[in-house]
Amino acid sequence: MNDIILLKLGEIVLKGLNRKAFERKLLNNIAFRLKPIGNFKISCLQSTVYVEPQDDSCDLEEAFEACSKIFGIISMTRASACEKDKDAIARLAIRCLKDEMQSAKSFKVESNRSDKSFPMTSIQLSQYVGGELQEAYPDTPVDVHNPELTVYVEVRDLAAYVHANPVPGAGGMPVGSNGVAVTLLSGGIDSPVSTYMIARRGVRLIPVHFFSFPYTSEQAKEKVVELAGLLSAYCGKMTIEVVPFTHIQEEIRDKCPEEYFTLIMRRFMMRLAEKIAVYYGAGAIVTGENLGQVASQTMEAMAVTRAVTTLPIVQPLIGFDKEEIVRLARKIGTFGTSILPYEDCCTVFTPRHPRTKPKLKDVEAVEAVLDVQALVEEAFNGIEQIPVGE
Ligand code: ATP
Ligand code: MG
């Protein structure tokens, strides 16, 4: 008999009428991620998702790992299976919860029957299994009010299951349940983390990367593809929009004062991000900006940058310390790739003395020498699309 995985729904349970739609989204996301791993039956009952392998070729370890990155799940656990018989259940609990029972100061058993033909009530079954566990582990007393360990028994259609000690899930809300946004993905440490954070709130993301070949190398692009691939374990499949940025940067370099290079470049990024967002019906632009981290991230510089768009700019890392961002980058597994030493377009033509307190009308004046419309159009038409996470 196969073990199964149980996933507890997170914030979805707070939803009222559209709860069903959220649940469906989550179940679809789980089905999509588990498809390459094996044939699983996925169903939802009373705030719990049941992931049941349909044959022996399913790798439950791998499925558990994949589920730990799916947003909308607050906790998860593996449950051991046995036949639907009270003694078989008690024997299984005694055997598979040995370590837990020996280390806990107290315990209780909670049962649940979705198979109502089972000959005992939930309370009777809990008492029976509790009594058997008590006998096997006499040093661990029962405490029904405040137990350190809760042992769960479930009697379902095909089998009975025993589980305990759930671990935290990825939290958040199912990707796709809260709209679509464009996310500006450089090869740095910050933007993969900001992408992760907004995906966690249920937003489906369209990564946009500005690429300045030959000033930035093919490897820099590959690095971004790799980062997006790592993120797709959380975000689902995505298509990276790689925007050719070389001509824009050369025009800025040739025609604008050096101290405004970065600012004007970032205004072009926002214009293109907005154009892509409008094209796909996305509602916001996500960036990895962080107050005060570099010259282009002062309040004045960010105001000048965002002035070219009316879309909301979402900056989930705005108040984080670098250390906190690095910790998150390590946790989600993007840090190692982010620190690979390839140039980003932001480090091409970097001014020696960038403006940190720019005024919008000054920037607009120096930018007026450029044919902004034509440059944006040209870059937009040259976009290369790279799918990840298929
Ligand atoms: P990161 O670590 O994400 O690169 P950063 O601290 O280096 O951020 P900047 O280089 O000023 O900061 O970039 C700020 C934000 O602008 C990035 O977090 C990212 O969202 C976006 N960005 C910068 N460069 C690019 C690029 N080449 N392609 C797409 N987005 C970019
Ligand atoms: Mg960067």
Side-chain angles (χ1 to χ4, degrees):
M1 230 166 262
N2 285 316
D3 288 3
I4 64 171
I5 298 171
L6 304 181
L7 309 169
K8 271 262 171 265
L9 302 189
E11 269 175 62
I12 306 177
V13 296
L14 303 176
K15 296 280 161 197
L17 289 175
N18 43 9
R19 176 181 163 150
K20 273 279 160 237
F22 278 76
E23 270 182 27
R24 258 198 308 276
K25 222 9 129 211
L26 179 63
L27 293 186
N28 280 340
N29 291 352
I30 296 170
F32 180 79
R33 301 299 166 82
L34 295 186
K35 210 160 131 206
I37 300 174
N39 183 14
F40 294 91
K41 179 177 164 219
I42 298 155
S43 55
C44 186
L45 190 78
Q46 292 169 349
S47 307
T48 303
V49 176
Y50 294 81
V51 177
E52 308 177 51
Q54 298 300 291
D55 52 58
D56 289 338
S57 67
C58 295
D59 185 337
L60 214 60
E61 281 300 318
E62 204 185 335
F64 197 78
E65 168 70 19
C67 289
S68 74
K69 295 180 174 165
I70 298 175
F71 297 129
I73 295 163
I74 192 128
S75 70
M76 46 197 291
T77 180
R78 255 181 92 143
S80 305
C82 66
E83 63 186 282
K84 294 191 277 185
D85 166 80
K86 68 179 195 321
D87 291 307
I89 296 170
R91 275 199 306 275
L92 176 66
I94 290 168
R95 180 165 52 78
C96 74
L97 298 175
K98 183 168 178 235
D99 293 345
E100 287 86 346
M101 282 299 295
Q102 282 176 342
S103 61
K105 288 199 177 60
S106 60
F107 82 103
K108 76 167 176 180
V109 178
E110 253 185 43
S111 304
N112 182 317
R113 306 172 309 155
S114 61
D115 172 6
K116 300 294 178 200
S117 69
F118 190 75
M120 292 168 108
T121 65
S122 301
I123 294 174
Q124 287 168 336
L125 182 58
S126 298
Q127 284 173 343
Y128 181 75
V129 176
E132 295 293 300
L133 275 170
Q134 179 72 100
E135 214 164 280
Y137 303 102
D139 295 337
T140 309
V142 172
D143 178 350
V144 289
H145 299 296
N146 198 15
E148 191 183 313
L149 175 72
T150 302
V151 174
Y152 297 93
V153 174
E154 305 204 24
V155 183
R156 289 175 53 79
D157 289 348
L158 294 177
Y161 299 94
V162 173
H163 58 100
N165 280 348
V167 297
M173 299 167 93
V175 168
S177 65
N178 261 338
V180 184
V182 154
T183 182
L184 300 196
L185 191 62
S186 69
I189 296 170
D190 304 341
S191 46
V193 177
S194 53
T195 303
Y196 161 89
M197 286 182 72
I198 297 305
R200 191 164 188 251
R201 297 311 301 158
V203 177
R204 187 168 72 73
L205 290 162
I206 302 167
V208 173
H209 180 68
F210 298 95
F211 184 50
S212 297
F213 192 77
Y215 301 104
T216 58
S217 63
E218 268 308 313
Q219 285 152 305
K221 182 159 85 183
E222 275 158 31
K223 176 179 169 183
V224 172
V225 174
E226 189 175 322
L227 285 170
L230 292 170
L231 287 167
S232 71
Y234 301 94
C235 305
K237 69 173 172 187
M238 301 186 286
T239 300
I240 315 169
E241 308 281 323
V242 180
V243 183
F245 211 45
T246 314
H247 190 203
I248 290 176
Q249 286 198 288
E250 286 173 342
E251 282 284 296
I252 300 172
R253 176 197 61 190
D254 294 346
K255 298 183 178 161
C256 300
E258 185 186 313
E259 71 248 46
Y260 288 105
F261 281 2
T262 310
L263 276 168
I264 295 176
M265 178 193 76
R266 295 196 61 74
R267 282 161 63 84
F268 272 97
M269 286 186 178
M270 290 303 158
R271 289 188 185 101
L272 277 150
E274 178 179 73
K275 203 167 165 66
I276 295 165
V278 169
Y279 184 82
Y280 289 110
I285 299 168
V286 181
T287 76
E289 284 165 308
N290 179 240
L291 189 60
Q293 198 183 78
V294 288
S296 60
Q297 294 174 17
T298 63
M299 259 189 274
E300 293 83 352
M302 288 193 288
V304 163
T305 302
R306 69 164 59 202
V308 295
T309 171
T310 51
L311 278 183
I313 312 277
V314 178
Q315 303 163 309
L317 306 181
I318 199 72
F320 278 40
D321 286 350
K322 193 73 191 182
E323 244 179 63
E324 294 167 314
I325 300 172
V326 166
R327 201 179 318 134
L328 262 171
R330 284 188 199 280
K331 185 182 128 184
I332 66 175
T334 52
F335 184 74
T337 305
S338 285
I339 58 172
L340 294 175
Y342 306 120
E343 292 271 290
D344 181 56
C345 72
C346 288
T347 49
V348 180
F349 316 137
T350 316
R352 278 158 296 181
H353 304 291
R355 280 293 168 109
T356 54
K357 290 184 190 295
K359 294 208 165 44
L360 182 58
K361 63 175 184 355
D362 296 342
V363 178
E364 285 172 344
V366 298
E367 205 180 62
V369 298
L370 302 173
D371 189 346
V372 171
Q373 209 56 42
L375 285 168
V376 167
E377 207 59 46
E378 179 195 311
F380 185 77
N381 291 333
I383 287 176
E384 177 196 5
Q385 296 185 313
I386 305 177
V388 290
E390 297 267 306

